[in-house]
Amino acid sequence: MIRRRAVRRGALAAEEIRSVPPRLRGRPDGVLRLGATVLALAAYTVLTACSGSGPSVLNPGGSGSRRVDSLWWLMFWISVAVFAIVLAFLLWGSVRRRREVRRGEATILVAVAGAAVPFLVLASVYGVGLDTLARLGTPRHRSVSVEVVGHQWWWEVRYPGTSAVTANEIHIPVGRTARVTLRTADVLHSFWVPQLTVKTDLIAGRTNTTWLHAMRPGRYRGQCAEYCGLQHANMAFMVVAESESDFAAWLRRAGRPTTPTTRAEQHGMQVFERLACGSCHTVRGTTARGRVGPDLSTLGARWSIGAGAAPNDAGHLGGWIANSQTTKPHNKMPPQPVPAADLQDLLTYLRSLH
Ligand code: CUA
C-alpha cells in the first residue's frame, strides 16, 4: 500500500517536472546562481575589514604579534590545503564510476584518512601553538618597566623609579622590551594591543605581567578586551613607540611639572585650582593631588580625551568639562559649570600641560 502510494507520488512529481517549461527547468540558471553566490561569499570574506592599516593582529608591529601572525597564517594555509584535498576527493567520488569497495579497503581508508592524518595535522598545530605560547611568556631582558592599573574606564600608567604618570598612553623605546605589570582598581579588564601583544587579563587581587616590544616606531592602538561595564568600548589606549632618545626626553618631560608662562595659562591654573578639580585629578606642581580620575600632568600631549571617547582638541575638551556625560555616559566625572569668561583660559592652561 505504502509502496503504491510512493510510486504514485513519484509519477506525480515526474508529471509536474514535465509540465514546467524547458526554459525554467534547465540547470544553467541554478549553476549560475550557485556560482554567483560562491563568488559573492568569496568577495565578502576578502573585502571585510582588511584595510591592512588598522590595529589588526595580521599587521604586526612587534615581535610578540609577529609570532601570533605566523601561527595564524600556518593554520590558515593548513586549513586551505585540507579543504582543497577534501573537496578534490568529493569531486572525484562524484564523477568516477562506482565499484564495490572491499571491507579491508574501507577500514584502511577510514584509519588513515579519517584518523591518522587528522591526528597528525592537529597534533602538529597544537605543538606549534604551545611553542608560540611559551615564547610569548615574559622575556628575561627588559629595559623599561611600566605599571598599568585598569579603572572603569581608563588606564593609569606609571613608570616606577620616575615621577612620570600618564593615562591611556604608554610610551616605549622602539626595539627594546618593556615589562608591563597589570593590576585593576575595580573589575576585570583585559590589556590588548593587537599589533604588539596578546590579551592579558587584569584580575582583582592579582598582579599579571606582559611585555611590549615594537619593531618600528609608530602608534599602536590598544583596547580593553574584557567587558567591564557600559563604557567598555571607550576604554582604549595608545602605545607610542619612539627612538630611545625621544623616549628618554619624553620620560624626563613627563616627570617634570609644567610651569604656566602666559597670563592666560596662569589665570587658567587659578581657575583649575578654584574649581576643585584637584579633588579627583593630579597635576604636578599644583595643589591638585586627587587619585579618583586620571593624572592630567601630560593632558595637552595626549592622543584623546576619555580613553578614546573624543579627539583631544579645545572644542572637545570644553565640551568634556561642561558635561562629559554626553560624550561618555556613566563615567565618574560630574558636569562642571565653568563661567564662560574663565573657560577659555582654563582650556589654554590644560592644553599647555605636557
Ligand atoms: Cu575595561 Cu572592558
Side-chain angles (χ1 to χ4, degrees):
M1 183 66 184
I2 292 168
R3 187 156 175 265
R4 208 181 304 151
R5 224 182 276 156
V7 168
R8 216 185 302 145
R9 222 181 289 140
L12 201 66
E15 193 61 39
E16 274 169 4
I17 289 169
R18 244 176 272 130
S19 69
V20 175
R23 182 169 51 87
L24 299 177
R25 203 197 300 159
R27 210 179 270 173
D29 265 7
V31 172
L32 271 181
R33 217 173 298 141
L34 183 71
T37 310
V38 169
L39 265 182
L41 281 175
Y44 178 75
T45 52
V46 171
L47 296 176
T48 310
C50 286
S51 70
S53 59
S56 164
V57 181
L58 301 182
N59 181 20
S63 51
S65 281
R66 196 163 57 177
R67 290 189 194 286
V68 178
D69 178 67
S70 307
L71 179 65
W72 192 92
W73 282 109
L74 175 77
M75 288 167 75
F76 175 77
W77 288 118
I78 289 178
S79 312
V80 168
V82 168
F83 180 72
I85 291 168
V86 169
L87 209 65
F89 270 117
L90 205 67
L91 284 175
W92 180 57
S94 63
V95 297
R96 78 185 183 131
R97 273 184 52 206
R98 277 159 197 270
R99 70 173 174 87
E100 202 66 32
V101 179
R102 280 196 300 278
R103 203 190 160 87
E105 269 179 14
T107 310
I108 291 171
L109 196 68
V110 169
V112 173
V117 173
F119 175 79
L120 274 179
V121 170
L122 292 177
S124 337
V125 171
Y126 182 62
V128 179
L130 282 183
D131 179 60
T132 304
L133 260 185
R135 284 167 195 272
L136 285 171
T138 309
R140 261 170 295 166
H141 306 291
R142 62 180 155 94
S143 60
V144 189
S145 286
V146 188
E147 282 176 11
V148 173
V149 182
H151 297 258
Q152 277 176 318
W153 297 278
W154 58 281
W155 305 86
E156 178 184 340
V157 181
R158 291 175 178 272
Y159 289 78
T162 76
S163 42
V165 182
T166 182
N168 311 319
E169 198 161 285
I170 302 173
H171 287 247
I172 55 167
V174 75
R176 299 294 213 94
T177 303
R179 182 176 187 266
V180 184
T181 58
L182 301 165
R183 289 182 295 116
T184 173
D186 37 54
V187 299
L188 190 67
H189 303 277
S190 186
F191 181 91
W192 187 32
V193 191
Q195 286 180 276
L196 297 181
T197 188
V198 289
K199 297 169 192 172
T200 308
D201 283 358
L202 287 72
I203 300 167
R206 269 194 68 135
T207 301
N208 278 347
T209 53
T210 185
W211 53 277
L212 293 169
H213 176 271
M215 297 181 294
R216 48 175 195 268
R219 298 167 82 81
Y220 303 95
R221 193 184 154 112
Q223 175 66 42
C224 178
E226 183 71 51
Y227 182 71
C228 54
L230 283 172
Q231 289 297 334
H232 155 71
N234 278 324
M235 191 170 165
F237 58 100
M238 191 64 80
V239 176
V240 182
E242 52 204 350
S243 70
E244 197 128 1
S245 55
D246 284 354
F247 170 73
W250 175 84
L251 200 61
R252 271 198 305 276
R253 206 168 53 236
R256 274 200 304 255
T258 307
T259 315
T261 46
T262 66
R263 276 183 76 127
E265 286 170 16
Q266 282 158 358
H267 179 237
M269 182 172 147
Q270 287 163 9
V271 174
F272 179 78
E273 292 187 315
R274 197 175 65 224
L275 283 170
C277 304
S279 51
C280 290
H281 296 285
T282 294
V283 172
R284 249 183 315 289
T286 71
T287 54
R289 301 230 168 80
R291 292 287 300 270
V292 178
D295 188 305
L296 302 178
S297 305
T298 60
L299 177 67
R302 286 186 203 153
W303 70 288
S304 85
I305 303 169
N312 189 4
D313 55 39
H316 285 94
L317 187 58
W320 181 271
I321 293 167
N323 187 1
S324 67
Q325 297 299 323
T326 53
T327 314
K328 191 171 176 176
H330 298 282
N331 87 78
K332 291 203 176 82
M333 181 159 158
Q336 301 294 319
V338 184
D342 292 335
L343 183 62
Q344 197 53 50
D345 288 350
L346 176 64
L347 290 175
T348 306
Y349 168 66
L350 288 174
R351 291 183 53 70
S352 76
L353 300 172
H354 55 261

